[in-house]
Amino acid sequence: MLRRIANHLFWMARNLERAEWRARLVDVNYHLLIETPPRGTSPWDPMLAIFGERALFAERYSTADEASVLKFMTIDAENPSSIRNCINLARENGRFVRHHISSELWLDINTLYLNAMDWTAAIFDSPGVFMFFADLKDCFYRIAGVLQSTIPRDLSYDFMWLGIMLERAEDVSRMLDVKYHFLLPRLADVGGPLDMQQWAAVLRSASGLEAYRKSHGNLIRLEKIIDILLFDSTFPRSAKFALDEVAGALDRIGRGASCEMKRETPALSQLRAELTTRSPKEVIKQGLHEFLLKVQDSCTEIYRQLVEQYLTVD
Amino acid sequence: MGRGQFVRMLRAERQPMSSSVVEISKTAPVWAAYRSREGCFDEMLDISRRPESGCSAIAEALFAMPPSRLAELSDRAEQMFRRMGVTFNVYGEQAGTERIFPFDPVPRIIDAATWAQLEAGLIQRVKALNAFVADVYGEGAIMKDGIVPREIVLGCPQFRRAAVGIKPPHDNFITVAGIDLVRGADGRFYVLEDNARTPSGVSYVIENRVVMTRLMPDLIRTSRIRSVERYPCDLLTSLCEIAPGGKSDPCIALLTPGPYNSAFFEHVFLSQQMGIELVEGQDLVCCDHKLYAKTVHGLKQVDVLYRRVDDDFIDPLVFRSDSMLGVAGLTSVLRAGNAVIANGIGTGVADDKAIYAYTPHMIRYYLAEEPILPIVETLLLRQADMRDTVLRNPEKYVVKPTGASGGYGVVIGPHASEQELEKVCQQILKEPEAFIAQPVVQLSLHPTIVHGRDGTARLQPRHIDFRPFVLLGARARVLPGGLTRVALREGSLIVNSSQGGGSKDTWVVEA
């Protein structure tokens, strides 16, 4: 496996995962705001905050209203991480590695790309929004399924899997952070129905509401949410699950390497250890937002070590 | 309606040049409105006129399709190509602009007897061209014997001094060749030019067939057409056969200039079909006269490189020093015999447009055979008498720069303006050795779907050429088919994809 090819496979997969999470977040936020129209505060601002895109948005739009944010996050060509751009990047990287992926996978990615190139602001005319995101999610599920059922479990798969899982760990922590930015109207609302409704929406973004109810019952409690989305090693969209997969892929890749190449990156071992030994309660007490930032920083560091070890050509 | 009657009607429909095409009414069959042009060979009409070719039934079936059906097929074909991402990039437009190679769903048919003759002629020709390259960079016997003038060989822009003394296994320099053929008014195939460097287009041959089997499954099933699917497998076999030291399981890679190259899709396609790695110059490194790829687990030695990068860019230590596309030190690896590249360095000397004039002599010289495929009469403008002839009547000739390919810089006398002719004459006087001239060859015609402005579709005659592909390993292999390119503009003779050409599937019928 060439280092350059490994890099393209990684980024192809990572951009697909990124596009999917963006779609999920925008979708859930949109529908949450229909059910509980916000009072006063700018309800789309948290979306921009969790992706760190307030400044970029402000350069191009005057107010963070629904139409502008939807456009910015979905189809804006000037926003490097709009859903359309993520799909475009996935496909651009895919072009280099068509000989490493199945033609079925390429066909699905290319079709998604061709569709995305045709998107216009008209997709946000209600009631089209629901169908748009439902269809888009289907595309991602389809691609994920084709990937699982057509790619041999070799290095190509491992580098794609790394891209998917590293992005997932990072995105799930960003998503949890949305509540940090999403201020409740009054202090008294904490733990109230609106608060719970927002947490339920967060779970739904990760397709985790049903899994939550199955294992933790009907009552939505913060520490249980943190548990399922960060610490649970069985739920496929939790940070722990994703990081275990990252470790697994790195281990398989490392098996072919000479012994001087280290198998696990220190940042990864450390973060996985924390997710094993610490408890949700403890994390909430010491500051959830800080902990989530730490997860994101660790993901950046894991990527940096990955690049150094396997992906740079020079 | 019996076949005989059908054929007679077609014959009766042939009209002089002036009446080209008549609008089709809804009820009339397609062929009733199809008019070919006098003075050109129409391949489909010829097939339908000759029942003994065994192909007239196919022509009849195609002619019987209503134009609306054919138009629908061409729309569906375009959708399929877009979805499959079968694209090419156009130079001079925004970097990385991907385009679909226009596809015409009316296939070109070649009967078994014609193909057998073509195949023999192609193998003969490529063997002679390869022997010529090996000779030029080896002993130089053909020049010593005065068959090809030394100054033409050494003065050829594609002659590479750095290749002198490189001895690849089996003396194999030209592993892949694409020979451009045209069919003249007499119905014979002529060699128009050779492509002995990095000929492209074979991926479209294979993908065109994939699309056609979806568009016309029944016709393909009943027509007994030879499969083109084996090509990547044959190419891989040929590349294995030329591995250094007869290595049994060589590491083979395809070297691409990258995604902005016009043929990038083809590079990806071929490496995917062959199951080999697609590399760029930055992925490779030479040390100790060996070639390596940079993998995630360290360096891996590469034995055979199927390169789609031109000589000029292949090794910055020997050729253009500003090249980012090649590998520094590759030439010395080749010289040491530790790797082989296909095609070899300097094969362009064999497809030079001035050298072309000598190709029949080469066939006699190296193979002691008479050429099976004729070439087009070629006037070397370095020679005063030939130059005067052309300068006197430039409007009668096609003038081609010897160094260029892809149809760039070609001036077609009868179609050129006064100024264009004036300009090319001045260029010829200034640099006579840089040009050749050929009489205008009437490219054959073929029924092709033409979409009218009003949305209707009609069959009209369009000029076509043909590029079959020949592989040379331990033995020669010819892809049974090839790229039929079609000039989509009315009357145009330029079929190049970079200049508005399209393509057709080519059906070689089983013997």
Side-chain angles (χ1 to χ4, degrees):
Chain A
M1 165 77 47
L2 291 176
R3 299 171 78 88
R4 183 178 54 82
I5 294 290
N7 190 47
H8 286 306
L9 286 165
F10 177 88
W11 279 106
M12 179 192 78
R14 185 163 190 171
N15 275 299
L16 284 172
E17 181 75 10
R18 185 171 288 178
E20 180 178 343
W21 277 96
R22 296 209 154 214
R24 286 169 173 278
L25 278 164
V26 174
D27 180 34
V28 167
N29 202 47
Y30 176 85
H31 288 100
L32 180 66
L33 291 173
I34 293 175
E35 288 167 36
T36 56
R39 284 160 291 181
T41 53
S42 175
W44 280 94
D45 187 61
M47 272 290 132
L48 298 171
I50 60 168
F51 291 112
E53 283 164 359
R54 272 181 174 141
L56 183 67
F57 180 85
E59 275 174 32
R60 316 194 0 88
Y61 301 86
S62 51
T63 49
D65 56 24
E66 184 175 289
S68 306
V69 178
L70 278 179
K71 185 169 170 238
F72 176 76
M73 305 223 50
T74 310
I75 57 173
D76 195 333
E78 305 292 321
N79 174 8
S81 32
S82 66
I83 296 174
R84 173 189 277 169
N85 264 341
C86 290
I87 291 171
N88 187 14
L89 284 171
R91 193 255 186 187
E92 251 328 280
N93 281 285
R95 278 183 75 203
F96 288 89
V97 294
R98 277 175 76 164
H99 57 302
H100 277 274
I101 61 179
S102 59
S103 48
E104 290 91 340
L105 182 57
W106 164 256
L107 215 57
D108 277 348
I109 293 174
N110 195 44
T111 307
L112 175 60
Y113 158 82
L114 291 170
N115 289 340
M117 290 303 113
D118 290 339
W119 291 347
T120 64
I123 55 179
F124 305 123
D125 298 342
S126 56
V129 180
F130 171 77
M131 279 314 291
F132 172 75
F133 283 111
D135 287 348
L136 189 54
K137 254 194 286 181
D138 280 351
C139 287
F140 289 122
Y141 280 133
R142 191 184 150 97
I143 287 171
V146 170
L147 193 150
Q148 288 301 329
S149 56
T150 61
I151 306 292
R153 299 308 193 255
D154 57 9
L155 285 172
S156 306
Y157 177 86
D158 287 332
F159 279 105
M160 283 189 260
W161 201 234
L162 272 181
I164 292 170
M165 287 300 158
L166 197 56
E167 181 68 23
R168 186 170 292 184
E170 200 174 317
D171 283 341
V172 76
S173 67
R174 280 178 193 279
M175 191 187 64
L176 275 169
D177 218 13
V178 75
K179 278 291 286 170
Y180 174 82
H181 301 277
F182 213 142
L183 292 176
L184 288 162
R186 293 166 313 203
L187 192 62
D189 287 334
V190 174
L194 181 60
D195 194 15
M196 285 308 114
Q197 208 167 356
Q198 287 176 354
W199 277 117
V202 168
L203 273 173
R204 216 178 299 131
S205 298
S207 296
L209 187 57
E210 287 145 29
Y212 179 94
R213 293 220 163 105
K214 219 183 267 174
S215 53
H216 300 295
N218 223 358
L219 193 63
I220 292 185
R221 290 171 55 199
L222 180 57
E223 63 182 79
K224 300 287 183 203
I225 290 169
I226 301 302
D227 188 46
I228 197 168
L229 291 182
L230 285 185
F231 290 84
D232 192 332
S233 57
T234 65
F235 180 61
R237 277 175 218 282
S238 83
K240 179 65 168 47
F241 181 94
L243 291 166
D244 286 350
E245 292 296 315
V246 167
L250 280 175
D251 186 49
R252 288 191 299 276
I253 292 165
R255 264 177 234 160
S258 48
C259 50
E260 73 262 24
M261 291 175 115
K262 277 176 259 120
R263 287 205 176 178
E264 197 170 319
T265 53
L268 179 61
S269 328
Q270 219 172 14
L271 185 56
R272 284 175 71 212
E274 283 203 53
L275 288 171
T276 314
T277 55
R278 297 181 69 177
S279 70
K281 222 176 227 165
E282 195 187 326
V283 164
I284 295 167
K285 207 168 139 199
Q286 289 166 5
L288 178 60
H289 176 62
E290 285 68 26
F291 184 75
L292 293 173
L293 285 183
K294 193 175 165 195
V295 172
Q296 288 161 39
D297 287 346
S298 299
C299 287
T300 310
E301 176 60 17
I302 293 164
Y303 172 65
R304 203 192 56 73
Q305 288 169 5
L306 181 67
V307 168
E308 202 173 276
Q309 207 170 348
Y310 295 118
L311 303 181
T312 48
V313 177
D314 301 319
Chain B
M1 182 173 56
R3 185 174 299 160
Q5 194 187 353
F6 170 78
V7 169
R8 271 196 301 282
M9 288 187 74
L10 284 176
R11 215 175 279 158
E13 294 305 329
R14 262 186 100 118
Q15 298 275 313
M17 214 165 157
S18 53
S19 65
S20 61
V21 170
V22 178
E23 187 77 42
I24 298 163
S25 75
K26 279 213 172 69
T27 49
V30 181
W31 46 262
Y34 182 74
R35 303 285 188 282
S36 200
R37 226 183 319 153
E38 273 318 300
C40 291
F41 184 79
D42 190 299
E43 303 208 2
M44 186 77 99
L45 290 183
D46 175 66
I47 285 280
S48 46
R49 273 201 306 273
R50 287 188 299 115
E52 76 279 6
S53 69
C55 308
S56 50
I58 307 175
E60 195 172 332
L62 286 165
F63 268 127
M65 281 185 198
S68 57
R69 168 86 182 125
L70 287 169
E72 186 195 316
L73 292 181
S74 76
D75 286 347
R76 278 179 48 201
E78 194 189 317
Q79 278 170 21
M80 279 188 240
F81 282 119
R82 264 173 71 80
R83 222 169 88 79
M84 286 153 68
V86 182
T87 58
F88 70 101
N89 301 327
V90 184
Y91 297 125
E93 292 189 10
Q94 191 193 343
T97 306
E98 293 172 61
R99 287 249 205 100
I100 303 288
F101 193 12
F103 177 72
D104 182 77
V106 185
R108 177 218 223 142
I109 301 149
I110 298 179
D111 65 80
T114 306
W115 179 255
Q117 184 80 355
L118 270 182
E119 189 175 28
L122 289 165
I123 291 176
Q124 178 195 55
R125 186 168 183 87
V126 175
K127 279 187 172 167
L129 292 176
N130 186 68
F132 174 70
V133 178
D135 188 13
V136 161
Y137 297 115
E139 283 176 57
I142 200 165
M143 297 181 281
K144 284 182 201 143
D145 289 340
I147 309 292
V148 181
R150 187 177 298 272
E151 68 273 14
I152 290 193
V153 176
L154 301 186
C156 161
Q158 296 299 329
F159 176 80
R160 296 284 177 267
R161 192 163 300 281
V164 175
I166 293 181
K167 279 206 154 300
H170 307 289
D171 271 338
N172 186 301
F173 280 85
I174 304 175
T175 315
V176 186
I179 308 296
D180 288 353
L181 305 175
V182 294
R183 217 163 177 183
D186 56 358
R188 287 186 78 188
F189 277 102
Y190 291 82
V191 176
L192 191 63
E193 58 186 50
D194 304 291
N195 295 276
R197 284 170 269 172
T198 54
S200 62
V202 75
S203 55
Y204 301 114
V205 176
I206 299 167
E207 295 289 51
N208 283 356
R209 180 65 55 81
V210 168
V211 165
M212 282 298 270
T213 51
R214 294 178 196 169
L215 294 179
M216 302 183 182
D218 298 333
L219 190 56
I220 291 198
R221 194 180 300 133
T222 53
S223 302
R224 297 175 57 244
I225 299 153
R226 292 183 61 182
S227 168
V228 293
E229 211 181 40
R230 269 188 65 83
Y231 179 84
C233 177
D234 285 344
L235 174 56
L236 187 61
T237 307
S238 305
L239 293 170
C240 285
E241 286 169 354
I242 60 166
K247 208 168 175 177
S248 60
D249 188 19
C251 173
I252 303 175
L254 193 159
L255 176 66
T256 173
Y260 300 117
N261 183 267
S262 68
F264 182 68
F265 162 73
E266 177 156 306
H267 307 159
V268 176
F269 176 85
L270 288 175
S271 50
Q272 179 179 37
Q273 296 291 312
M274 292 192 279
I276 64 171
E277 191 51 88
L278 179 65
V279 300
E280 293 182 13
Q282 54 172 323
D283 298 318
L284 300 173
V285 63
C286 297
C287 35
D288 302 330
H289 302 290
K290 287 185 183 121
L291 179 63
Y292 295 98
K294 301 174 198 169
T295 78
V296 292
H297 294 148
L299 296 181
K300 181 168 195 253
Q301 194 179 346
V302 177
D303 303 302
V304 181
L305 198 59
Y306 176 39
R307 53 92 174 222
R308 299 292 295 260
V309 172
D310 292 341
D311 284 351
D312 280 342
F313 299 94
I314 197 93
D315 182 352
L317 295 186
V318 177
F319 304 106
R320 280 178 60 163
S321 58
D322 60 343
S323 169
M324 307 291 283
L325 306 174
V327 200
L330 181 63
T331 314
S332 71
V333 174
L334 301 179
R335 202 172 289 284
N338 289 331
V340 169
I341 67 169
N343 290 350
I345 290 178
T347 52
V349 75
D351 65 18
D352 180 83
K353 290 184 175 70
I355 294 287
Y356 167 89
Y358 296 93
T359 50
H361 306 292
M362 282 178 204
I363 292 170
R364 294 185 194 104
Y365 183 77
Y366 293 115
L367 308 178
E369 293 170 10
E370 270 308 299
I372 300 170
L373 292 170
I375 65 167
V376 179
E377 181 198 352
T378 301
L379 294 96
L380 298 174
L381 300 182
R382 66 177 71 228
Q383 295 177 9
D385 53 333
M386 293 186 177
R387 184 164 64 239
D388 291 344
T389 314
V390 174
L391 290 177
R392 232 175 287 130
N393 296 100
E395 74 286 353
K396 286 190 180 162
Y397 293 91
V398 178
V399 178
K400 297 176 175 177
T402 52
S405 63
Y408 291 100
V410 173
V411 176
I412 298 175
H415 295 190
S417 67
E418 282 289 324
Q419 287 125 318
E420 282 171 314
L421 289 176
E422 179 66 22
K423 198 176 147 206
V424 80
C425 286
Q426 278 170 6
Q427 284 173 330
I428 291 169
L429 282 169
K430 217 166 108 196
E431 243 190 315
E433 64 285 349
F435 295 92
I436 57 136
Q438 293 170 335
V440 179
V441 183
Q442 279 305 336
L443 269 60
S444 55
L445 292 166
H446 200 286
T448 300
I449 303 265
V450 174
H451 295 266
R453 286 222 186 88
D454 53 353
T456 58
R458 286 171 289 178
L459 279 183
Q460 288 192 8
R462 287 290 181 270
H463 288 294
I464 56 172
D465 81 344
F466 186 43
R467 176 181 289 182
F469 292 88
V470 184
L471 296 171
L472 215 53
R475 66 182 184 85
R477 299 170 174 91
V478 184
L479 167 76
L483 185 64
T484 291
R485 295 183 298 181
V486 51
L488 293 171
R489 263 181 301 136
E490 187 168 9
S492 169
L493 295 170
I494 303 278
V495 294
N496 301 80
S497 58
S498 48
Q499 312 207 13
S503 76
K504 287 172 170 290
D505 194 10
T506 310
W507 292 2
V508 172
V509 177
E510 298 237 19

